[in-house]
Amino acid sequence: MSPLVSPSASPTALLWTRCAAVDGCAGRADDRFRACPAHLRPDQLERFLRGLRPGGDLDLRGATVSAGLLAAVLDAVTGPDGRPHLGRTRLDGAVLPSHAPLRNACFEGDSSFDGAAFVGGASFFDVRFLGHVSFRGARFAGNVSFHDARFGRHASFDETVFAGDALFGEAAWNADASFAHAVFIGAACFDRARFGRDALMQAACFGGAVSFRRVRVARQARFDRARFRHDLWLGPLVAERLTLANATAHGGLRVDAAARELTARAVTVRGAADFRLRHADIDLEDASFDGSAAVRPLAHRFQYVPEPESWPGDGAVRVTSLRGATAERLDLADVDLSACRFAGLRRAGSLRITGGCSFATAPRGRWWNPWRNGRGHAVLADDPSGPSGGRPGGPGEPFTRTSADRLEALYRQLARATAGSDAGLARDFRYSALEIRRHAEPDQWRRMLLHLLWVTCGYGLRAGRAFLWLALVAVLLLCLVTVVRGGRSPAAAQQRAPHPSPYSDLRSP
């Protein structure tokens, strides 16, 4: 529970603020009046209202505003278009009535509702905030609607408490929207919202259902350290960067997003998790899933949420880290794992790799296999023999016997994880495991035996290499047999026999 909310206090008690004394009230109607508008006599209130014009400033700080007073003020500033137009508006610490009639209003200047208390429900439907607006520390005792609201500049809802449902459907922000440390006790709906820059919801607490469907964020959507009491469904969502680091979802998690970068480090999910992504580089380091987790790409663009034209059309997904991640079952399908760090993966036996997952390959040596089109065997980014020269235990850590044992065990677990879907990839992982053992084997004779197996047949996993050796041995044996049989043939014996001299007859008497 947030420190802003007392579990024993009722919403009405939390949101109620007593108006200050008449002489010390923060609200100011006019310099000619000693009291705020909430304490004016009828004749003074009439003079005050006659002085208001559309687009004029309003200062009701600390005042307890009745429904009649608020309605009269809004009527006085209503323009020809039927909208109330307010200039610089200051309602800091004010107590506003239940069902405050603020819908369709247009706040032309900066607006401040910091610490304001809305005793009941409030409606900001179709409201226009042309300047900066701040609801920092405000309290909404009932349901509040900002449906179809427009925010021209920065909007702050930091530390705001929404005791009822909060509706921001189809709202649009031209700049940043900040909900840091906000508390949503009821449901929160941001369907079809548009954020011109950043959507900042760090450390926000969502006690009810949450919906972020068809949302477009121009830069980054940040949910780091956020807490979700129930299931969380993000998407379809398009953002340059999506952050879920250190977030906690006490139910399940589903993310349908197109994002260039998705950071889910140390995320905690008490149920199942499903990441269906486009274009994303996803980081799941130290992530914890009590149920199953899956990462897979989406082949098609979202229908109602456009992606930037500069993004590539293939929508490939790359996993960058699984270090320290744990899940009952972790399914990776059709993703790029060439730069993924696996060392430290917990429950590696629960990993399932299917589809066309790609891995980095070791540089091709002189022992070339024509059936592999000249490419090397698949390796992990943690493998020092790989193209990135990674270290199993972390950056800068020496390749010790302990780290070699962990990497060898990881290769064997990955071989089992891919045995049913890609036999060639499973052979590569078994080959890499034996390569690690060959280089790290402390016993000299075993190391020599592994070298011999590597040279002759690739540990029994490289049929082409064994075939070449067998062919070479066969050729050598054939040459040897040919030489031996050639030495024993009659023609060779005749060649070795002595020939008579042509002058032997001349020497006879």
Side-chain angles (χ1 to χ4, degrees):
M1 181 64 69
S2 169
L4 298 173
V5 180
S6 171
S8 61
S10 65
T12 302
L14 286 169
L15 302 178
W16 186 258
T17 304
R18 254 187 105 177
C19 185
V22 172
D23 291 338
C25 182
R28 289 289 181 267
D30 193 289
D31 292 339
R32 294 170 293 174
F33 302 127
R34 292 175 55 85
C36 73
H39 297 92
L40 293 178
R41 297 191 307 271
D43 58 331
Q44 294 176 326
L45 178 60
E46 184 178 356
R47 291 169 54 194
F48 167 69
L49 294 175
R50 284 200 305 266
L52 295 177
R53 294 290 184 272
D57 297 341
L58 180 65
D59 188 350
L60 293 176
R61 287 175 290 171
T64 301
V65 183
S66 65
L69 174 59
L70 182 59
V73 170
L74 295 178
D75 287 340
V77 296
T78 299
D81 57 355
R83 287 180 178 270
H85 288 261
L86 293 166
R88 177 71 170 96
T89 304
R90 308 185 69 177
L91 291 169
D92 306 75
V95 178
L96 298 173
S98 179
H99 306 292
L102 293 170
R103 58 184 300 159
N104 301 321
C106 180
F107 295 85
E108 298 176 356
D110 294 342
S111 307
S112 177
F113 295 82
D114 293 347
F118 294 81
V119 177
S123 176
F124 290 84
F125 176 81
D126 195 29
V127 167
R128 300 295 185 263
F129 295 96
L130 303 185
H132 300 286
V133 58
S134 177
F135 286 86
R136 185 181 184 90
R139 304 293 188 269
F140 294 90
N143 299 334
V144 58
S145 174
F146 285 87
H147 187 85
D148 201 28
R150 297 293 182 267
F151 300 85
R153 297 190 178 183
H154 179 81
S156 173
F157 291 85
D158 297 344
E159 301 180 6
T160 301
V161 176
F162 300 90
D165 297 340
L167 307 179
F168 289 87
E170 300 186 22
W173 288 264
N174 291 338
D176 298 334
S178 179
F179 292 82
H181 298 276
V183 178
F184 296 84
I185 299 177
C189 176
F190 288 83
D191 293 349
R192 296 180 297 277
R194 296 293 182 268
F195 297 87
R197 289 197 298 192
D198 299 335
L200 308 174
M201 301 193 183
Q202 302 99 317
C205 179
F206 297 86
V210 182
S211 182
F212 285 85
R213 301 185 183 183
R214 301 182 187 178
V215 175
R216 176 72 172 87
V217 183
R219 295 197 305 193
Q220 55 180 340
R222 300 192 58 177
F223 295 88
D224 34 320
R225 305 188 311 280
R227 299 294 181 265
F228 302 90
R229 183 67 177 173
H230 300 289
D231 295 344
L232 172 61
W233 188 347
L234 291 177
L237 182 147
V238 175
E240 186 73 23
R241 181 179 180 184
L242 176 60
T243 302
L244 292 168
N246 296 287
T248 300
H250 289 275
L253 172 64
R254 178 174 173 176
V255 179
D256 295 349
R260 303 306 299 271
E261 182 179 348
L262 195 162
T263 303
R265 287 193 171 195
V267 66
T268 301
V269 181
R270 301 304 181 190
D274 189 9
F275 296 90
R276 302 194 301 176
L277 310 172
R278 286 180 54 80
H279 309 287
D281 290 352
I282 178 172
D283 184 354
L284 292 173
E285 185 168 333
D286 295 322
S288 176
F289 306 98
D290 288 354
S292 61
V295 180
R296 47 186 171 165
L298 290 171
H300 304 288
R301 295 173 178 263
F302 297 130
Q303 185 174 2
Y304 299 103
V305 190
E307 298 176 4
E309 295 295 334
S310 59
W311 291 8
D314 56 356
V317 176
R318 182 173 65 171
V319 182
T320 59
S321 180
L322 289 173
R323 288 183 175 181
T326 178
E328 287 188 1
R329 174 173 175 149
L330 182 56
D331 293 319
L332 304 176
D334 300 310
V335 295
D336 184 359
L337 299 171
S338 59
C340 182
R341 303 290 180 173
F342 285 87
L345 173 66
R346 303 175 186 177
R347 298 183 185 180
S350 65
L351 186 63
R352 298 293 182 270
I353 299 175
T354 58
C357 293
S358 59
F359 287 84
T361 55
R364 181 169 61 87
R366 59 182 179 178
W367 294 101
W368 176 63
N369 188 340
W371 288 274
R372 300 180 61 80
N373 298 322
R375 72 173 180 87
H377 61 279
V379 295
L380 302 181
D382 307 274
D383 195 335
S385 64
S388 61
R391 294 295 181 184
E397 181 176 336
F399 189 59
T400 62
R401 176 64 183 173
T402 302
S403 58
D405 290 342
R406 289 199 300 263
L407 185 57
E408 180 186 355
L410 180 59
Y411 268 126
R412 296 187 182 277
Q413 291 169 337
L414 289 176
R416 289 192 291 269
T418 56
S421 59
D422 192 334
L425 191 59
R427 285 195 301 270
D428 280 355
F429 287 143
R430 288 195 292 269
Y431 181 89
S432 297
L434 291 168
E435 280 284 86
I436 293 293
R437 184 178 178 184
R438 177 169 70 92
H439 290 288
E441 177 60 52
D443 185 80
Q444 179 181 359
W445 295 104
R446 291 182 179 178
R447 189 166 61 251
M448 291 178 61
L449 178 60
L450 289 171
H451 277 290
L452 180 62
L453 290 174
W454 170 72
V455 170
T456 56
C457 61
Y459 313 109
L461 299 173
R462 296 292 182 259
R465 189 178 303 180
F467 176 79
L468 290 176
W469 275 109
L470 289 175
L472 179 61
V473 171
V475 169
L476 292 176
L477 288 176
L478 181 61
C479 293
L480 180 61
V481 170
T482 302
V483 171
V484 172
R485 293 185 61 182
R488 296 180 180 179
S489 64
Q494 185 178 0
Q495 291 178 358
R496 289 194 300 269
H499 296 280
S501 174
Y503 302 100
S504 58
D505 295 340
L506 299 176
R507 293 177 183 172
S508 59

